[in-house]
Amino acid sequence: MGSLYAIYRKEMGHYFVSPIAYIFIGLFLVLTAFFFNVILAEVIKQTFQMEMQGMRFGGPSDFDAPAAVMRSFFGLLSTLVLFFTPILTMGVYAEERKRGTMELLMTSPVSELEIVLGKYLASLSLFALMLLPTASYMIFMVLHSDPRPPWSMLAAGYAGVLLLGGSLLALGSFVSSLTENQLIAAVVTFAASLFIWVLDIGRNSDSGASAVLQYLSVIRHYEDFARGVIDTSSLIYYGSFIALFVFLTVRSVDSMRWRRA
Amino acid sequence: MIEVQDLTKSYGAVTAVDHVSFTVNKGEILGFLGPNGAGKTTTMRILTGYMPATHGTARVAGFDVFRDSMEVRRRIGYLPENPPVYPDMTVETYLDFVARIKNVPAERRPARIDDALRKTNLEDRRSELIKRLSRGYKQRVGIAQALVHDPEVIILDEPTVGLDPKQIIEVRNLIKSLAGNHTIILSTHILPEVSMTCDRVVIINKGKIAAVDTPQNLTSQLKGGQKIRIETDAPEKPLRDMLAQIPGASRVVIEPARAGGHQAVTVEAAQGNDIRNQIAAKIVEHGWPLYELHGVSLSLEDIFLELTTDDAAHAQASS
Ligand SMILES: Nc1ncnc2c1ncn2[C@@H]1O[C@H](COP(=O)(O)OP(=O)(O)OP(=O)(O)O)[C@@H](O)[C@H]1O
Ligand SMILES: [Mg+2]
């Protein structure tokens, strides 16, 4: 336990002494701010159109503007996550191997699980710190909406981003443990993420296979969260996804002893 | 304290360590001596649990390095071939990190870190970023890291590489001062290092052990055998023929005369066989000028070369 924390602390220190963390958080903030404005302008335009239609044809408009903003915004976050997580995880193991510090870790009384979890939790924390400032836009919007959308909707959305990001980070860590080349790690992680992203491609067909593929797609479950729904089957999906890749990473780190070491 | 039995490690077709057996007693300093690629690093990596052996066993403090790896790792301080440092950390935060993963309790950590810094002369660099340190200082941080948890067993892979002469002496003294309380294995290809610091030496070559003994015994083992140094301006061919006829003379090396000097000849003589008088008599008989003739006992260096060069290995095996 102490060792897990020591490794976690070391990783966080590494993120924050180098410019990595600041660049990531800054870049993420700028991109999300820009797209938030775009989304807001778009939704306001739509709202006007709806109201014009409402006036022309009578009857109240049932267009829920805050919900529309949230859905678009969480959709945007998920796309950014796809691009940011491979870069976040590409060096996790590659750097240790290149510097020879893996030899220190693997000859210390630390289990592979402690190494892997310490590193994983650190990358997840940095990811959460990246998301944190974006919540201010959403909180701002909720406070200025009338009627106010429920806070639970916002919470569900962020839970979804964290789980989605957490899954892709677990996948990325695993890939990073397989190769010493960071560029390869990033590209493979991106490709693999994209692949499980588009598994629900056949969502409009209703064959059994397509139902299974839809279940396996990372984004399918995310959409529930973005709509403010927390579904247990989705929680189980992300939980298993993360556990599977953490387990595979542990196996991969352990096998470094045999592979070449 | 350390028992190695029949240890073998193959990388595919390459056998890096080949049926190696030796033991290290508690409090002893064992030197691991061998040329490049001898298998020193590989043996150390197996002892520290970094990688498994292909065959054979190794025990540290009674624990099998493979089956009870965690118990072994708790008791070992290890300096790998390349100091395993994080460039972005300061010396002190790095040692604190290592102390944590080596399970040093929080209340003992500051004292242990200070002790390691003092022993490696790094006190004035404690707040420096490791990436700003020179090669030699990084090496010292690597040594400090191996000491920080006060381990029973210390394994150092070429600890004096990259250090200046003054530091080399200090590190050797440090290692000697650690003996007694700690059991130490160090590897090197510097011969004097072994005779200066180690209680016993394992000479390893191409994965096989060539000799295990104290530096004194290794030297005296071949002391009876002598090296004879002759300065004479005799023509090379007849000189060789003449020496070849003297029983017990071997390994004749002739260095041509340098400006203002004489031709130098070295001959090795078998144990307990003083052939100096015979050589002198023959040279005089041929009427060659003789300027110098004296015996030199074989140094550890000669023994090492003898044990690790191919034809010598042959001679060793056939004798
Ligand atoms: N990871 C590896 N894969 C394949 N072969 C290896 C590997 N590591 C070492 N070897 C081979 O094993 C042999 C022993 O290497 P080792 O590093 O143990 O030697 P050494 O005695 O430490 O040498 P040096 O004095 O150069 O450090 C060499 O022939 C080397 O080429
Ligand atoms: Mg070596």
Side-chain angles (χ1 to χ4, degrees):
Chain A
M1 214 42 218
S3 303
L4 193 158
Y5 176 60
I7 288 171
Y8 174 83
R9 255 175 52 128
K10 181 207 69 142
E11 292 289 311
M12 289 307 274
H14 176 65
Y15 285 135
F16 282 94
V17 290
S18 55
I20 308 172
Y22 306 103
I23 291 175
F24 258 72
I25 294 175
L27 199 62
F28 198 74
L29 200 59
V30 169
L31 285 174
T32 47
F34 172 74
F35 284 112
F36 177 65
N37 274 316
V38 173
I39 290 169
L40 212 55
E42 185 61 32
V43 170
I44 288 170
K45 209 173 84 192
Q46 252 179 313
T47 316
F48 268 126
Q49 280 172 357
M50 289 294 194
E51 275 178 9
M52 299 282 272
Q53 278 177 7
M55 275 195 283
R56 206 174 301 156
F57 302 110
S61 139
D62 58 356
F63 182 63
D64 187 352
V69 172
M70 275 196 202
R71 252 202 317 281
S72 305
F73 188 71
F74 284 120
L76 160 78
L77 282 187
S78 71
T79 312
L80 289 179
V81 165
L82 182 64
F83 287 94
F84 274 75
T85 50
I87 301 165
L88 219 79
T89 53
M90 66 182 182
V92 179
Y93 293 95
E95 271 185 45
E96 300 267 7
R97 286 164 77 174
K98 203 175 63 199
R99 284 189 302 239
T101 42
M102 211 59 200
E103 198 161 352
L104 168 67
L105 297 183
M106 294 183 80
T107 56
S108 295
V110 184
S111 68
E112 281 83 12
L113 182 65
E114 286 173 307
I115 298 176
V116 170
L117 276 184
K119 284 172 168 289
Y120 174 69
L121 292 176
S123 68
L124 193 60
S125 303
L126 181 60
F127 178 69
L129 284 173
M130 250 166 64
L131 287 179
L132 198 61
T134 67
S136 61
Y137 318 146
M138 289 288 106
I139 291 170
F140 176 83
M141 188 197 67
V142 170
L143 290 177
H144 288 81
S145 302
D146 189 26
R148 267 191 206 171
W151 289 108
S152 63
M153 211 174 149
L154 188 59
Y158 273 102
V161 193
L162 272 178
L163 287 171
L164 173 69
S167 301
L168 298 186
L169 289 171
L171 171 71
S173 307
F174 172 62
V175 174
S176 164
S177 74
L178 296 175
T179 169
E180 251 171 283
N181 187 317
Q182 300 203 24
L183 190 64
I184 293 180
V187 171
V188 172
T189 304
F190 180 72
S193 305
L194 198 61
F195 178 72
I196 46 177
W197 199 275
V198 297
L199 275 180
D200 70 334
I201 198 113
R203 67 163 66 183
N204 295 324
S205 93
D206 47 30
S207 69
S210 127
V212 171
L213 288 182
Q214 277 189 43
Y215 183 75
L216 290 179
S217 160
V218 271
I219 202 62
R220 188 89 189 97
H221 299 276
Y222 179 70
E223 283 164 2
D224 292 337
F225 286 98
R227 271 188 283 116
V229 182
I230 294 184
D231 177 21
T232 26
S233 101
S234 296
L235 283 178
I236 291 171
Y237 171 83
Y238 285 123
S240 326
F241 191 103
I242 292 169
L244 172 70
F245 279 100
V246 166
F247 170 77
L248 287 177
T249 314
V250 170
R251 300 302 312 157
S252 160
V253 169
D254 188 43
S255 77
M256 280 177 198
R257 293 179 201 280
W258 274 269
R259 247 186 279 155
R260 178 212 67 92
Chain B
M1 195 65 171
I2 301 172
E3 300 147 49
V4 175
Q5 270 234 336
D6 232 17
L7 207 65
T8 302
K9 173 77 193 183
S10 311
Y11 296 106
V14 183
T15 304
V17 176
D18 197 354
H19 297 280
V20 161
S21 305
F22 62 90
T23 58
V24 193
N25 302 319
K26 196 170 165 52
E28 200 177 35
I29 306 181
L30 180 89
F32 228 65
L33 184 61
N36 289 138
K40 305 182 292 292
T41 299
T42 305
T43 308
M44 293 183 150
R45 285 179 161 179
I46 296 170
L47 286 179
T48 52
Y50 183 57
M51 57 191 196
T54 312
H55 177 80
T57 57
R59 297 177 152 271
V60 173
F63 295 102
D64 187 280
V65 294
F66 182 66
R67 273 185 293 114
D68 299 315
S69 179
M70 282 297 171
E71 291 301 323
V72 172
R73 291 192 233 164
R74 261 187 259 285
R75 289 168 174 79
I76 283 189
Y78 173 41
L79 169 70
E81 202 160 39
N82 302 306
V85 292
Y86 293 99
D88 288 335
M89 287 188 177
T90 66
V91 174
E92 194 168 9
T93 47
Y94 171 66
L95 291 179
D96 181 69
F97 169 67
V98 177
R100 281 168 191 266
I101 60 170
K102 304 281 182 180
N103 302 333
V104 178
E107 66 277 8
R108 282 187 55 218
R109 254 180 252 143
R112 287 305 318 152
I113 292 168
D114 285 343
D115 185 57
L117 287 170
R118 191 170 40 74
K119 283 181 169 148
T120 49
N121 269 329
L122 283 168
E123 282 157 308
D124 53 338
R125 298 298 173 104
R126 66 192 308 155
S127 312
E128 192 113 23
L129 284 179
I130 294 178
K131 67 178 166 204
R132 303 214 201 292
L133 296 178
S134 67
R135 170 85 175 85
Y137 273 95
K138 280 189 192 129
Q139 181 74 8
R140 283 195 250 166
V141 175
I143 297 174
Q145 163 275 130
L147 306 177
V148 75
H149 53 304
D150 200 20
E152 283 174 65
V153 175
I154 300 172
I155 295 185
L156 305 168
D157 199 349
E158 302 191 18
T160 55
V161 161
L163 299 180
D164 63 41
K166 183 166 163 283
Q167 276 303 318
I168 290 182
I169 294 169
E170 287 184 9
V171 166
R172 284 181 191 158
N173 288 337
L174 168 65
I175 292 171
K176 273 192 271 187
S177 75
L178 292 170
N181 296 324
H182 307 266
T183 307
I184 302 169
I185 300 185
L186 64 89
S187 79
T188 177
H189 28 226
I190 308 165
L191 284 145
E193 190 149 289
V194 179
S195 38
M196 270 183 265
T197 45
C198 302
D199 300 313
R200 274 189 320 132
V201 191
V202 169
I203 297 179
I204 181 169
N205 186 40
K206 296 193 176 146
K208 290 197 171 71
I209 289 189
V212 187
D213 217 327
T214 61
Q216 293 79 6
N217 280 354
L218 282 174
T219 325
S220 66
Q221 182 192 319
L222 286 152
K223 209 165 221 155
Q226 262 198 334
K227 215 172 179 175
I228 297 158
R229 194 179 154 81
I230 313 157
E231 279 186 23
T232 173
D233 287 331
E236 191 180 326
K237 180 83 175 59
L239 182 65
R240 276 191 190 278
D241 292 343
M242 181 276 279
L243 288 171
Q245 276 161 25
I246 294 175
S250 63
R251 295 179 143 252
V252 177
V253 179
I254 298 180
E255 292 168 43
R258 292 211 200 102
H262 304 286
Q263 173 178 264
V265 184
T266 43
V267 183
E268 270 176 37
Q271 198 153 346
N273 196 356
D274 198 346
I275 53 171
R276 283 176 296 180
N277 54 351
Q278 295 179 50
I279 295 173
K282 285 285 183 195
I283 289 175
V284 173
E285 196 183 301
H286 282 85
W288 296 325
L290 175 66
Y291 299 97
E292 195 178 315
L293 188 151
H294 65 103
V296 249
S297 68
L298 291 173
S299 67
L300 200 53
E301 202 126 356
D302 299 307
I303 299 167
F304 177 71
L305 285 175
E306 188 141 316
L307 289 169
T308 56
T309 47
D310 269 340
D311 62 331
H314 257 117
Q316 187 78 6
S318 58
S319 70

